[in-house]
Amino acid sequence: MNVIYHCFGSAHSSVAAAAIHLGRLPCDRKPAIKEIISLYDYDATETWQVGTLFYKGQDESGHSVYAVGFGPESRTTKLAIVSLLENLGIDTSDLFFQEALLHINSFAKIGGALSRRYGMVRIGRPLSAAGIWLGYGKLVRFVGQVKEQLKKRDKNC
Amino acid sequence: MQIRVFYDSGDGRGALMTAALEKGLLPIERMPHEAEIVQVFEEHYRGFRYGRVYRLHASETSVFWCGLGRAAPFTIRAWRHFLELYDMRQTDFIFIDCPLLVSRKRSIRLFRKTAKEVIKNMAIFQSVILQRWKED
């Protein structure tokens, strides 16, 4: 299964979700803001990279984990990807899209926009990380639900 | 097999018109009649959905069209990456950006209005077809 966490630019929420999924961020405690910022791929993507599928690693069950930014119309982009592949006769049931953007708060979103869109990295990066830190529990629960769904899918296969 | 995907950053009507020219559903050597354009819309545009990729014809060269709205710039990059994920040969795929039709009405009854706009701007759709060597 290919687990694909997506958000606007694959710089913050999808990166943090993938990091929790892969154990690079803890799920049993709240990490320090510094730990979030020091992720190698946190707040790192540029605007031109939106749409790029970033491989993040393999989880304990052998699922490949990715992060991608779909820009402002994630539904349209997702549909375009799946429908093109299906038109080509490709079975897309191994794509497991999960929208991470819904699971972060406004601080993280505003911080992310300041850093990536407006280039105010010194303010935006710590603000986005603080936002993720504040709502960390929600993000951990989201990743936990994703893992549960993956387990159910694996059982059904 | 070569696969051509015609897309536009609007509601797909421009992409459909260009793809129809490519497939010969509309004549390229003369100006199409309004009725011919309306027929293409009626046959292929019903149930249009943003982002959905529609196949125009199955043949040696597969032709697809879609309307991507604001998602266009990011979708092309994403397509390339997902094709790579499934080990598809990148050189088989050509993504062709098409001009937009500006009239807002999309209902079947108003296809005639769109057809008039298409006829008025036929040259820009034909230009896309004539410039495909750039993509090849």
Side-chain angles (χ1 to χ4, degrees), chain B:
Chain B
M1 190 168 81
Q2 197 176 67
I3 290 145
R4 291 188 179 156
V5 183
F6 293 84
Y7 69 92
D8 65 34
S9 51
D11 58 14
R13 288 175 299 159
L16 172 58
M17 283 299 98
T18 319
L21 281 170
E22 168 77 16
K23 286 305 294 182
L25 300 180
L26 290 175
I28 200 160
E29 72 285 353
R30 65 165 171 85
M31 198 60 83
H33 302 302
E34 196 179 299
E36 290 173 311
I37 296 167
V38 171
Q39 193 186 344
V40 170
F41 276 121
E42 285 185 343
E43 282 179 15
H44 300 281
Y45 198 74
R46 285 173 192 274
F48 166 80
R49 205 173 148 197
Y50 278 94
R52 185 170 291 284
V53 177
Y54 299 92
R55 182 189 286 265
L56 204 54
H57 266 288
S59 65
E60 235 175 75
T61 306
S62 285
V63 171
F64 298 97
W65 66 274
C66 62
L68 297 173
R70 290 197 300 155
F74 319 112
T75 302
I76 313 309
R77 177 170 292 274
W79 269 334
R80 288 288 181 196
H81 280 270
F82 279 85
L83 290 174
E84 200 63 39
L85 184 67
Y86 286 99
D87 294 324
M88 304 297 284
R89 204 165 58 178
Q90 295 286 354
T91 49
D92 284 349
F93 293 84
I94 301 173
F95 298 105
I96 303 163
D97 192 4
C98 300
L100 281 176
L101 286 167
V102 292
S103 62
R104 286 178 180 220
K105 305 290 183 186
R106 287 203 287 118
S107 72
I108 306 288
R109 283 181 186 176
L110 290 159
F111 278 159
R112 287 189 186 284
K113 189 178 170 185
T114 304
K116 280 178 187 151
E117 191 190 342
V118 170
I119 291 168
K120 203 173 154 188
N121 298 296
M122 187 48 76
I124 56 170
F125 297 107
Q126 288 171 334
S127 297
V128 175
I129 301 295
L130 294 172
Q131 287 176 33
R132 66 180 170 228
W133 55 270
K134 279 186 182 172
E135 303 286 343
D136 290 338

Side-chain angles (χ1 to χ4, degrees), chain A residues 16-154:
Chain A
I20 294 167
H21 189 117
L22 294 166
R24 288 181 191 138
L25 283 177
C27 56
D28 54 350
R29 67 172 173 86
K30 223 175 188 179
I33 291 175
K34 206 176 165 185
E35 278 181 82
I36 298 169
I37 291 178
S38 62
L39 287 169
Y40 79 94
D41 48 359
Y42 187 78
D43 194 43
T45 51
E46 301 294 335
T47 308
W48 67 267
Q49 290 176 304
V50 177
T52 301
L53 188 63
F54 291 102
Y55 178 67
K56 299 298 178 186
Q58 206 169 46
D59 71 7
E60 62 280 6
S61 308
H63 303 297
S64 297
V65 178
Y66 298 85
V68 64
F70 281 158
E73 302 283 344
S74 64
R75 277 187 195 175
T76 304
T77 306
K78 225 176 348 182
L79 178 60
I81 291 163
V82 172
S83 65
L84 177 65
L85 295 173
E86 287 181 347
N87 266 308
L88 300 171
I90 295 169
D91 177 16
T92 57
S93 60
D94 65 335
L95 294 178
F96 195 52
F97 289 103
Q98 293 296 325
E99 183 154 15
L101 193 63
L102 305 173
H103 305 277
I104 58 167
N105 57 30
S106 300
F107 292 111
K109 287 176 189 170
I110 293 166
L114 286 176
S115 174
R116 296 295 91 199
R117 191 181 296 179
Y118 301 108
M120 298 162 77
V121 180
R122 285 181 68 181
I123 303 166
R125 186 172 293 172
L127 180 62
S128 68
I132 284 175
W133 180 83
L134 277 171
Y136 195 74
K138 197 179 171 189
L139 207 52
V140 168
R141 278 195 298 279
F142 160 60
V143 173
Q145 285 163 4
V146 170
K147 285 192 166 185
E148 280 301 312
Q149 287 176 49
L150 282 168
K151 273 182 194 169
K152 280 181 192 167
R153 279 188 172 214
D154 289 345

